[in-house]
Every structure is written in C-alpha cells, then in structure tokens.
Amino acid sequence: QVHVVESGGGLVQTGGSLRLSCAASGRTASSDYMAWFRAAPGKEREFVAAITWSGGITYYSDSVKGRFTISRNNAKNTVYLQMNNVKPEDTAVYSCNAGGIYSSDTYYPTRYWGQGTQVTVSS
C-alpha cells in the first residue's frame, strides 16, 4: 500500500512561482515513477510531469515545459513541482500519483493518488 499526500497549493499572481510537494510512504520499486496531474474546472485530468525515483529521468507536458520543474528528494520520499511564470490557465487541482510507469509518451497511473491541492492563478 502506498500513501500519497500533496501540499503547497494556494493563490499566486500571474508570472509568480509556487512549489508543490508530494510525500509518498510505502514506495514500491526504485524504477517506479511519480507524476503530477492537474484537473481544471470542467476539464479532464491531464498529465503535467513525471520523474523516476532512481534515475532522475523527467517528462513534461508541452503546456508546462520550460516553466515547471519536477524533482525529488529520495531521503524524504518526496517529489516536488516547482512552478514558475504561472499563467491563469495553470489554475487547477494538482494531484500526485505514485508508482506508475511511463512508456511510449504516456504515463500509466496506479490507484495511488493523493487528495490534491488547489492552485489558483490570478490575472
């Protein structure tokens, strides 16, 4: 069983920065990925970024590439999402998924999701 908890959301102005955290307990294999997703009001959940625990390999959606950075602290079993130069369209509930795989340009999530953290970008 893997338990996931996100934190760090809030209200930020356009062009500002915010850092989200995702703490995972009961992590499985070192080859597993951790990933961030987001769901804006009235829209489906979309992939944002993913990172491996061991290799530091990262993937990003085109909409955040160059603005967001995913990183991890293995000692704390925590993954971060540094959000820079945020835009109003980044407003969403951001959720973390633990233990998925990334293949053929697609992240395949597990059932291990956190409760989500709200990010609101004001214009």
Side-chain angles (χ1 to χ4, degrees):
Q1 187 71 16
V2 178
H3 187 57
V4 179
V5 178
E6 304 98 336
S7 61
L11 177 64
V12 60
Q13 291 185 334
T14 297
S17 298
L18 203 62
R19 190 178 80 157
L20 306 182
S21 298
C22 171
S25 61
R27 182 171 64 85
T28 55
S30 61
S31 59
D32 289 346
Y33 283 80
M34 294 284 290
W36 285 98
F37 283 72
R38 66 186 182 186
K43 295 186 178 180
E44 292 186 357
R45 185 167 56 193
E46 64 171 355
F47 170 80
V48 175
I51 187 169
T52 54
W53 278 110
S54 58
I57 301 171
T58 59
Y59 298 96
Y60 297 93
S61 67
D62 288 341
S63 60
V64 306
K65 197 174 295 182
R67 300 188 298 120
F68 292 8
T69 302
I70 189 171
S71 62
R72 82 254 189 256
N73 182 326
N74 290 344
K76 296 183 178 181
N77 270 8
T78 300
V79 172
Y80 305 98
L81 185 69
Q82 178 67 43
M83 306 168 61
N84 296 331
N85 190 24
V86 295
K87 305 174 181 180
E89 51 264 43
D90 294 322
T91 294
V93 174
Y94 285 71
S95 300
C96 184
N97 182 263
I101 59 174
Y102 193 96
S103 177
S104 300
D105 298 326
T106 302
Y107 178 85
Y108 296 91
T110 64
R111 66 182 186 274
Y112 304 123
W113 294 92
Q115 81 288 352
T117 186
Q118 176 70 47
V119 172
T120 302
V121 182
S122 62
S123 56

